[in-house]
Structure formats: C-alpha cells, structure tokens
Amino acid sequence: MLKNLSIQSVSWLSSLVVATIDALSTFNLILFCIFSCCTRLQKCPTTVQDFLVLGAAVKHGQVPPVLATRLDKAINCWKTHQSAKIIVSGGIVQKAKESEAEVMAAYLIAHGIPARKIICETQALNTWQNLTFARQLIKPQETVVVVTSDFHVLRARAYARKMGLNWSFISSKTPWRYCPLTFIRDYLGIIRDHWWVFCGSTLLLLLVEFILK
C-alpha cells in the first residue's frame, strides 16, 4: 500500500502520526498531572490500623526531600491515629549500606514516632514489591492507608487493585523543583504498564483523523 503512495502522501501521513501521538501524549500528561494534584485532597479515614509508607531512593543514609514529604504526611496522620502502626517499605538499592526502610524508620523516630510503632519491610525494590511484601505483614481485616507522593498514587493504586487490595491512599505534595522529573517519569511508567491502551487510543484517533481528512 505504501509503495503506491506519493512522497507527499507519505510525508503527510508521517506528520499526522507524529502530531497525533504528540497531542495524545500531551493531553494525557495534563490529565495525569491534574489527577495527581487532586489526590492531595484525599483525607485520612477515621479508622486506621496500619499506615504503609512507600519507599524511595535514599542518598548516603539521608532521606531526600520527596521521601521526606511522604514521611511527614504519615507523621501528621499518625498523630490523630496513634494506635496505628507505621510500616516503612524499601530495600537496599544502589549498593547502599542501609535499606530505605531503615533510613525511613530513623527519620520517623527522630520526629517523635515511638520505635515500637514502626515496622520495617526491607526487601522491596520497586512499587509492586512494596505492596507485595508489606501485605505479608498485615492482617487481611486490618484497615490500611498507603502514603506516597501525589505523582505516584495512580500507579501504586493500580497495582493494589490488581492484587485485590482494598487499601486507601493519601498523598504528599511533591516539592516544586522535583515535579518535572517525577511526574514525567511516573507518567511514562503508566504508559509502560498500559501500553496497549495508549496504542489503541492512538490508532483510533489516527483512524478518525484519516477519515475526516
């Protein structure tokens, strides 16, 4: 079919494909950013038995700003649910000496959380494993609130639904200077996990545009 097309037609089709993908990607990214920001409005449930804070890379044993906002959110919520436990999840990455969970636990203790209220899950290396390994530490009937960054809620919640976990999610606000990188990175992660939806939408939009042309 392409052999019978003129150079101008091929060029037009190429431009149409590029423009469609660009427009769809931009539109979806905007929707993703709006949804992520709206997750900050989610309030903590009145009954909580476990807070699960999802880990992020630590640097030289220190909690970076994005992870600090997650922990601060958990601390503020725990103050009104002091009977709850806080599970911190994250393993050893990039040849670190301590696991993410251990560094997170130290941060919580330094900010007034009793050590007896903290449970460390030190094996997880990604979001899927965060949820999988943490589930093994939680009784099925317990009420769980997952604390993560605003840009991370959509992907983490999608994983939880796949696992059949009916957990609540609350998010922390990402520091402004980290927004471009973190939002785009997680958006690309969602496209990777749901590539068939993105490809199907693109093909459908291309078909509509081709017919209208």
Side-chain angles (χ1 to χ4, degrees):
M1 179 179 177
L2 291 176
K3 292 181 179 179
N4 298 325
L5 294 176
S6 64
I7 295 178
Q8 291 80 0
S9 297
V10 173
S11 177
W12 173 78
L13 285 174
S14 300
S15 299
L16 179 62
V17 170
V18 171
T20 300
I21 294 176
D22 181 61
L24 187 60
S25 299
T26 302
F27 177 72
N28 286 338
L29 177 58
I30 292 172
L31 288 181
F32 170 72
C33 292
I34 292 173
F35 172 85
S36 298
C37 293
C38 288
T39 62
R40 303 173 197 161
L41 303 176
Q42 183 66 42
K43 302 297 182 181
C44 189
T46 54
T47 301
V48 183
Q49 292 168 298
D50 299 287
F51 288 102
L52 169 59
V53 186
L54 302 186
V58 298
K59 296 181 179 180
H60 309 295
Q62 300 297 316
V63 173
V66 172
L67 182 55
T69 62
R70 299 182 189 182
L71 294 167
D72 291 341
K73 183 76 173 185
I75 291 169
N76 290 333
C77 292
W78 182 85
K79 290 178 180 178
T80 58
H81 299 85
Q82 295 189 15
S83 62
K85 300 185 296 292
I86 300 180
I87 301 171
V88 286
S89 176
I92 298 176
V93 295
Q94 299 177 352
K95 298 181 180 181
K97 295 181 179 180
E98 296 179 284
S99 67
E100 294 173 359
E102 291 171 318
V103 176
M104 293 162 71
Y107 183 96
L108 292 174
I109 293 171
H111 286 76
I113 304 298
R116 69 179 185 278
K117 290 293 184 178
I118 303 171
I119 299 175
C120 291
E121 184 291 299
T122 60
Q123 302 301 313
L125 299 179
N126 54 50
T127 303
W128 184 271
Q129 291 181 3
N130 285 144
L131 300 172
T132 300
F133 295 148
R135 178 170 58 176
Q136 300 172 7
L137 305 173
I138 299 170
K139 297 178 181 179
Q141 69 273 19
E142 291 184 340
T143 304
V144 181
V145 173
V146 181
V147 184
T148 190
S149 301
D150 44 16
F151 65 84
H152 194 225
V153 169
L154 184 60
R155 188 157 61 93
R157 190 165 67 178
Y159 289 171
R161 295 296 179 265
K162 286 184 179 180
M163 296 178 186
L165 302 174
N166 188 27
W167 293 349
S168 300
F169 282 76
I170 56 176
S171 69
S172 60
K173 183 179 180 180
T174 303
W176 175 249
R177 64 193 179 102
Y178 295 96
C179 284
L181 175 62
T182 55
F183 274 71
I184 293 175
R185 183 181 60 195
D186 244 60
Y187 171 65
L188 293 176
I190 291 173
I191 292 178
R192 177 201 62 202
D193 294 338
H194 302 86
W195 60 269
W196 62 92
V197 176
F198 182 81
C199 291
S201 301
T202 302
L203 290 174
L204 180 61
L205 188 56
L206 279 171
L207 179 61
V208 172
E209 290 182 354
F210 187 79
I211 292 175
L212 294 178
K213 290 289 184 178

